[in-house]
């Protein structure tokens, strides 16, 4: 049985070269689409993890509230916002991690009375400002721009990298 020598003809050489280039381009497009999809899945996973942690803290606070129905309004949610994330070029995957680290740092106020939290506002600010948070071998330090204390504690921060 004889295989014809198609590899010597220019038209077949162009066909094989075109197939190879087309395969490489298709592979690059596939890798790009997969990477984009995976990045979106990571973002969604981080957001859902943050929501689960918030709901756990809120549930613990509500369980404590049911024990003490006489207590006044308590802190149930902590909301962290990093205002200058775009200015210092923070990755969209790093921002939720930093927000979660700051929430963990001050999560002890969840379930406490708003009046108690108002008294220790300077302690909260110094707890955030004096701590360095590390993600991927990069250290971040925050400056508290605004602290709003109610049932939802809102903390507006400015981040900076520490060398």
């Amino acid at each position: 049985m004889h295989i014809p020598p198609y590899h010597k003809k220019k038209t077949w050489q162009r066909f094989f070269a075109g197939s190879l280039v087309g395969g490489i381009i298709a592979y690059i497009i596939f890798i790009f689409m997969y990477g984009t999809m995976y990045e979106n899945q990571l973002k969604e996973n981080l957001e859902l993890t943050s929501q689960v942690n918030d709901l756990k803290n809120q549930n613990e606070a509500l369980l404590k509230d049911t024990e003490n129905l006489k207590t006044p309004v308590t802190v149930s949610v902590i909301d962290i916002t990093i205002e200058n994330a775009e200015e210092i070029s923070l990755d969209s995957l790093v921002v939720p991690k930093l927000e979660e680290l700051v929430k963990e740092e001050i999560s002890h106020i969840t379930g406490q009375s708003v009046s108690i939290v108002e008294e220790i506002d300077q302690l909260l600010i110094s707890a955030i400002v004096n701590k360095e948070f590390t993600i991927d071998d990069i250290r971040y330090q925050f400056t508290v721009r605004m602290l709003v204390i109610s049932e939802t504690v809102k903390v507006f921060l400015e981040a900076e990298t520490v060398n």
Side-chain angles (χ1 to χ4, degrees), residues 121 125 146:
D121 62 340
I125 291 171
M146 185 170 32

Side-chain angles (χ1 to χ4, degrees), residues 18-53:
S19 297
L20 179 67
V21 170
I24 291 172
I25 291 172
Y27 183 73
I28 290 171
I29 291 172
F30 172 74
I31 293 296
F32 173 75
M33 289 172 41
Y34 178 76
T36 304
M37 186 258 329
Y38 191 72
E39 181 180 1
N40 290 337
Q41 291 294 330
L42 279 175
K43 286 180 190 176
E44 184 179 349
N45 187 9
L46 289 173
E47 290 172 3
L48 291 175
T49 303
S50 176
Q51 287 178 358
V52 165
N53 288 337

Side-chain angles (χ1 to χ4, degrees), residues 87-98:
E87 294 172 12
I88 62 171
S89 302
L90 284 179
D91 186 16
S92 60
L93 297 175
V94 172
V95 173
K97 289 180 184 178
L98 285 172

Side-chain angles (χ1 to χ4, degrees), residues 9-138:
K9 293 184 177 181
K10 288 286 184 193
T11 56
W12 281 100
Q13 288 178 352
R14 287 188 200 123
F15 172 74
F16 289 133
S19 297
L20 179 67
V21 170
I24 291 172
I25 291 172
Y27 183 73
I28 290 171
I29 291 172
F30 172 74
I31 293 296
F32 173 75
M33 289 172 41
Y34 178 76
T36 304
M37 186 258 329
Y38 191 72
E39 181 180 1
N40 290 337
Q41 291 294 330
L42 279 175
K43 286 180 190 176
E44 184 179 349
N45 187 9
L46 289 173
E47 290 172 3
L48 291 175
T49 303
S50 176
Q51 287 178 358
V52 165
N53 288 337
D54 290 343
L55 290 174
K56 283 181 183 178
N57 289 338
Q58 188 176 8
N59 187 21
E60 290 174 7
L62 289 174
L63 288 175
K64 289 178 185 177
D65 281 349
T66 57
E67 295 172 2
N68 304 329
L69 291 177
K70 298 177 188 176
T71 59
V73 179
T74 60
V75 174
S76 59
V77 178
I78 301 171
D79 185 26
I80 307 293
T81 304
I82 300 175
E83 293 179 334
N84 65 336
E86 294 84 23
E87 294 172 12
I88 62 171
S89 302
L90 284 179
D91 186 16
S92 60
L93 297 175
V94 172
V95 173
K97 289 180 184 178
L98 285 172
E99 290 175 352
E100 191 64 31
L101 287 174
V102 174
K103 279 183 189 177
E104 288 175 11
E105 184 68 24
I106 61 172
S107 66
H108 64 279
I109 65 170
T110 305
Q112 291 188 0
S113 173
V114 171
S115 60
I116 293 173
V117 175
E118 286 175 347
E119 292 174 5
I120 61 168
D121 62 340
Q122 291 300 319
L123 183 62
L124 288 174
I125 291 171
S126 63
I128 295 170
V129 170
N130 293 332
K131 178 144 185 180
E132 291 181 356
F133 300 93
T134 305
I135 293 180
D136 299 333
D137 298 330
I138 300 174

